[in-house]
Amino acid sequence: MNIVAVTSCPTGIAHSQMAAENLEQTAEELGHDIRVEIQGAMGAEDELSADEIADAGAVVIAADTAVSRDRFDGKPVVKGTVKDAVNDARSLLERAVEAAETGETGEIEAETSSEGDAGTDAGEQQVRRGGDRSKSLVARLKRLFS
């Protein structure tokens, strides 16, 4: 499936790029094509074209800032945070594919594992939450310097 995505954080220096990279790697692992636009204080990088948006089955927005959604009308738009895309891109992408397959349109809040643990009972065992540790910043830096 063709997916388009927008990542955006207030500065757009590191977190937006990390989120974009993780979305790209995870989409490839899942067998999907993805194009990611990165937005930050300096503007948009790798801007999505109207044709790319039209060809997409779903949209993922991983942003901590306001992102205009007008150009995505009629598409399922899964909304999460930059942290969601860095820690659990798989959930964002799976939710986007599910929405596209069921014909859902409009904005859909992502339900990723990086959200809080509200509603857990004190007796329940805590489960480690987050994404793949091999994709963490520390793991990436270790690979870079090794």
Side-chain angles (χ1 to χ4, degrees), residues 44-60:
E45 178 182 320
D46 297 326
E47 249 183 286
L48 298 170
S49 71
D51 288 340
E52 289 170 325
I53 295 168
D55 291 341
V59 179
V60 173

Side-chain angles (χ1 to χ4, degrees), residues 61-135:
I61 296 179
D64 296 333
T65 60
V67 173
S68 174
R69 293 170 183 79
D70 296 342
R71 58 189 170 153
F72 306 121
D73 283 342
K75 302 275 182 195
V77 178
V78 174
K79 170 78 174 83
T81 64
V82 169
K83 182 178 178 182
D84 293 334
V86 170
N87 291 333
D88 195 8
R90 180 176 294 271
S91 291
L92 288 173
L93 293 168
E94 287 174 348
R95 183 67 181 102
V97 170
E98 176 187 323
E101 289 174 349
T102 61
E104 232 176 309
T105 60
E107 189 168 316
I108 303 153
E109 285 295 322
E111 296 174 12
T112 64
S113 60
S114 65
E115 291 180 359
D117 291 328
T120 56
D121 294 337
E124 288 184 28
Q125 181 180 354
Q126 288 287 338
V127 177
R128 186 185 83 73
R129 300 218 177 245
D132 184 352
R133 287 185 178 223
S134 70
K135 294 180 180 176

Side-chain angles (χ1 to χ4, degrees), residues 3-15:
I3 300 171
V4 293
V6 177
T7 62
S8 177
C9 68
T11 55
I13 295 172
H15 294 103

Side-chain angles (χ1 to χ4, degrees), residues 7-59:
T7 62
S8 177
C9 68
T11 55
I13 295 172
H15 294 103
S16 294
Q17 281 80 2
M18 287 172 36
E21 182 181 327
N22 203 24
L23 284 167
E24 290 167 346
Q25 289 175 354
T26 305
E28 184 179 331
E29 289 171 9
L30 296 173
H32 303 294
D33 293 323
I34 191 168
R35 262 280 280 123
V36 183
E37 175 181 303
I38 301 168
Q39 295 182 1
M42 302 301 286
E45 178 182 320
D46 297 326
E47 249 183 286
L48 298 170
S49 71
D51 288 340
E52 289 170 325
I53 295 168
D55 291 341
V59 179

